[in-house]
Amino acid sequence: MTAHAVLVTVADQPGMLFALTGVLASHQANITYVDMHRSGELTDIYFEFTLAGTEAEDVLRELRAVKGVMRLEETPSLAKIYGKRIIVMGGGAQVGQVAMGAVAEADRHNIRGERISVDTIPLVGEMELAAAVRAVVRLPRVRLLVLAGSLMGGEITRAVEDVRQKGMYVISLNMAGSVPDAADLVVTDPVQAGVMAVMAVADTAKFDIVRQQKRRY
């Protein structure tokens, strides 16, 4: 299997996604990711897909021939450009401190060939945070979630349990509420929490979060 990523600019009209995926399906391509961005009368459609036993040039030529396609270019995949993602959410002050540790540690690994990016979102409110936690598993390339706040529990805890069942690792700051009991790892210092989050997902780090599960630091 060979992996490919393409950005297709098409006319903003009905049936374009159907036509493009039809070409890929005819070549037994396995679509692994799709993203769309509309700009005026044009739409950019980004595909990641794998091929087996088919020349990529044949597929690209047929995609370019689809009526309504304005431009097609091959591009490095988002995994190669941005790599693994860590999401930090919660109270603004704590989120900033976690991000500071995570960005500093990510830089250390990225200069050695890793690609780790850190995304943050300061949020307040039980339902808002619970919805954001559950949405993490729908975001591409996310490997780990850090919950940074002073008090989290209730529906947020249930959301943490839901995403952990789907394979998402969760680090929590040591805070009031039941979220720390539901997380994989609890860290008191927010800067250290950011550092450990990066170490947990980096291939260039010797840190196994599975061996640290349910510990508190």
Side-chain angles (χ1 to χ4, degrees), residues 13 17 21 25 30 54 60 74 77 82 85 99 101 117 123 129 132 139 141 150 160-161 167 179 188 194 200 203-204:
Q13 61 189 32
L17 185 60
T21 55
N30 182 33
T54 302
L60 299 183
E74 286 193 272
S77 70
Y82 289 106
R85 298 172 69 187
S117 55
L123 280 175
L129 274 163
L139 295 174
R141 300 173 289 104
S150 300
V160 169
E161 293 168 347
V179 159
T188 300
D203 294 330
T204 50

Side-chain angles (χ1 to χ4, degrees), residues 2-202:
T2 57
H4 305 272
V6 296
L7 182 65
V8 190
T9 302
V10 302
D12 185 26
Q13 61 189 32
M16 290 307 307
L17 185 60
F18 174 80
L20 294 172
T21 55
V23 171
L24 295 173
S26 68
H27 288 276
Q28 300 299 306
N30 182 33
I31 301 172
T32 56
Y33 182 66
V34 180
D35 197 10
M36 300 176 64
H37 298 277
R38 184 174 180 269
S39 177
E41 297 181 351
L42 298 177
T43 297
D44 288 332
I45 306 178
Y46 171 79
F47 288 104
E48 291 182 8
F49 58 92
T50 57
L51 288 170
T54 302
E55 290 292 334
E57 283 303 319
D58 294 339
V59 178
L60 299 183
R61 182 173 59 253
E62 291 187 31
L63 289 172
R64 290 188 177 97
V66 171
K67 185 178 179 181
V69 170
M70 306 300 179
R71 183 172 62 254
L72 182 147
E73 60 179 308
E74 286 193 272
T75 179
S77 70
L78 291 177
K80 288 184 178 180
I81 298 172
Y82 289 106
K84 309 160 189 171
R85 298 172 69 187
I86 293 171
I87 306 294
V88 186
M89 64 176 67
Q94 293 95 329
V95 165
Q97 290 296 301
V98 173
M100 184 170 65
V103 169
E105 183 69 11
D107 180 66
R108 189 169 72 86
H109 293 281
N110 288 348
I111 63 176
R112 294 154 62 192
E114 282 275 6
R115 286 293 184 272
I116 300 172
S117 55
V118 181
D119 297 323
T120 63
I121 177 167
L123 280 175
V124 294
E126 179 181 350
M127 302 313 296
E128 289 80 1
L129 274 163
V133 169
R134 289 192 171 96
V136 162
V137 294
R138 301 197 298 270
L139 295 174
R141 300 173 289 104
V142 176
R143 296 293 187 88
L144 190 145
L145 168 66
V146 183
L147 288 173
S150 300
L151 170 63
M152 293 186 191
E155 190 61 29
I156 305 170
T157 301
R158 287 185 283 275
V160 169
E161 293 168 347
D162 290 344
V163 298
R164 287 187 66 236
Q165 288 179 359
K166 296 177 181 179
M168 180 68 63
Y169 289 118
V170 179
I171 292 178
S172 168
L173 293 189
N174 195 7
M175 66 178 83
S178 55
V179 159
D181 295 329
D184 292 285
L185 178 65
V186 179
V187 183
T188 300
D189 181 74
V191 175
Q192 184 66 19
V195 171
M196 295 179 80
V198 172
M199 291 175 63
V201 303

